[in-house]
Amino acid sequence: MMMPSLSRPLLGLLAIAAGASVANVYFAQPLLERLAHDFALDAAVAGAVLAATQAGSVLALLGLLPLADRGDRRRLLRMQLLALVVALLWLAAARSTAWLLSGMLLAGLLGTALTQGLIAYAANLAAPEQRGRVVGMVQGGVFIGLLSARVVSGAVAAVAGWRAVYLLSALLMAALALLLWRRLPHVPVPAMPPSWRNLLRSMADMLRQDRAVRERGPLALFLFAGLNVFWAAVPLPLSAPPLNWSTAAIGALGLAGIIGALLAARVGHWMDRGLAHRVSLGALLLMLVAWLPLALLLLGVVVLDLGGQALHVSNQALLLRAPAEQHGRLVALYMLFYAVGSGVGAAAGTWTQARYGWPAVCALGAGIALLALTWWATWRIPRKAAA
């Protein structure tokens, strides 16, 4: 049975809130052309809009997320919800480049902190035998929010302008804040909260000593490097002749990966049944073979995102088996690997497509998947032989 403090409606609300939060980090991607026009930005400065959002995400992982292990998590989530509403209103009202960039930084900072904080909070509330399924359901909400963000942003901006995107998001986050304000259950607070400096120092100790972090962190790096090789490179051949896909059509391609989000809860259920390593192996194999049918595109997208989602959920479910007072720092460490992998993968994917074409991109993605499978095997096979 699920813990009384985490009912099914509350779990669904947490999943929706996590998905809505992460969407704020990705809304800007389809809006760059409009932003560049409105603020008279050249190409280099327009790229800084996305860089500011990603910088905010990294600051959240190092600055805000570890604070979840220091004090009242419910109070911290409430404050972040309100702060995100204010940040979105600030961004929607931007009248200068500095104003715009500061708003993007805050959207990345608070959107990331709130998303990952909600995952750790839900895992903290769940009974141990239900934790995998709970993490899977909330992560499913995150994945749907991420996939939908670009499509929703482009559609709303086409009808009402880019400011409407952030105004509507502010209204949605305010509504979620009202719904969650009284419904967030209390979680235990440390009797002697550690200082922020000690929290950061302990993260370095975790990286050295925690086997799950050392195994699953690099897997996250390979996972998101592979995914971003695809998603960064694929617009180039699709938008060029003879295909000439529109920006909206390319953005809608991401919805093909929604199957992975729908499977997230099932992956968590398998984790709770003790099948963590079988799930990981199956996910890694899916991510490897996905590059073979990517010539058919839609089939490849479904298989690639399915494998990626399964591995991401299994990674987080394993990490969050640790004591609850470590969850914030463990998620922050894990997501730092994610951030590095995402950046490297995106850069490598676009460079490879520009220089060598789509077959080389597929070879690169398959090579990264093979590296991930090899890394997993180096941890699992010796341990299995010893057992």
Side-chain angles (χ1 to χ4, degrees), residues 58-99:
V58 173
L59 288 175
L61 298 177
L62 291 174
L64 288 184
L65 198 55
L67 293 178
D69 295 341
R70 187 175 185 272
D72 188 341
R73 296 185 181 194
R74 179 175 62 173
R75 182 171 177 268
L76 181 62
L77 289 174
R78 286 171 171 174
M79 291 174 61
Q80 289 173 349
L81 277 164
L82 293 180
L84 180 56
V85 172
V86 174
L88 292 170
L89 293 173
W90 169 265
L91 181 53
R95 291 291 183 272
S96 67
T97 301
W99 191 341

Side-chain angles (χ1 to χ4, degrees), residues 114-343:
L114 188 56
T115 301
Q116 300 305 322
L118 285 166
I119 294 173
Y121 179 80
N124 190 186
L125 292 176
E129 67 274 9
Q130 296 284 331
R131 190 160 291 154
R133 187 162 67 89
V134 165
V135 170
M137 290 187 69
V138 180
Q139 183 58 46
V142 171
F143 201 58
I144 291 173
L146 193 155
L147 289 174
S148 304
R150 300 175 183 91
V151 179
V152 171
S153 177
V156 172
V159 174
W162 70 267
R163 296 180 191 276
V165 175
Y166 294 100
L167 283 173
L168 288 175
S169 184
L171 290 173
L172 175 60
M173 297 310 304
L176 288 168
L178 289 174
L179 289 172
L180 285 170
W181 194 266
R182 293 186 177 275
R183 299 194 63 183
L184 290 176
H186 175 73
V187 292
V189 178
M192 298 184 63
S195 67
W196 183 71
R197 181 178 299 177
N198 287 337
L199 286 172
L200 290 183
R201 188 180 296 120
S202 69
M203 287 172 67
D205 293 337
M206 286 178 178
L207 189 58
R208 290 192 300 267
Q209 300 168 8
D210 192 299
R211 180 184 175 89
V213 172
R214 288 185 287 122
E215 176 187 352
R216 296 287 161 163
L219 272 183
L221 189 151
F222 290 130
L223 159 63
F224 288 102
L227 289 176
N228 281 276
V229 161
F230 172 77
W231 287 112
V234 75
L236 300 178
L238 291 181
S239 59
L243 297 177
N244 295 314
W245 281 31
S246 68
T247 303
I250 295 172
L253 180 64
L255 297 180
I258 205 109
I259 295 174
L262 297 177
L263 189 72
R266 175 53 54 183
V267 171
H269 179 71
W270 292 333
M271 297 292 296
D272 293 332
R273 293 179 58 191
L275 303 176
H277 301 303
R278 294 183 186 181
V279 168
S280 298
L281 177 58
L284 288 164
L285 290 173
L286 281 176
M287 294 193 69
L288 178 60
V289 302
W291 291 95
L292 299 176
L294 270 175
L296 303 176
L297 201 59
L298 288 180
L299 176 61
V301 170
V302 170
V303 176
L304 184 66
D305 279 347
L306 187 58
Q309 179 69 357
L311 184 60
H312 189 38
V313 171
S314 66
N315 286 346
Q316 289 190 306
L318 282 173
L319 287 173
L320 294 174
R321 289 178 178 176
E325 61 271 14
Q326 299 177 13
H327 285 178
R329 285 165 290 171
L330 286 172
V331 171
L333 278 172
Y334 175 78
M335 294 303 293
L336 284 171
F337 281 100
Y338 152 87
V340 172
S342 296

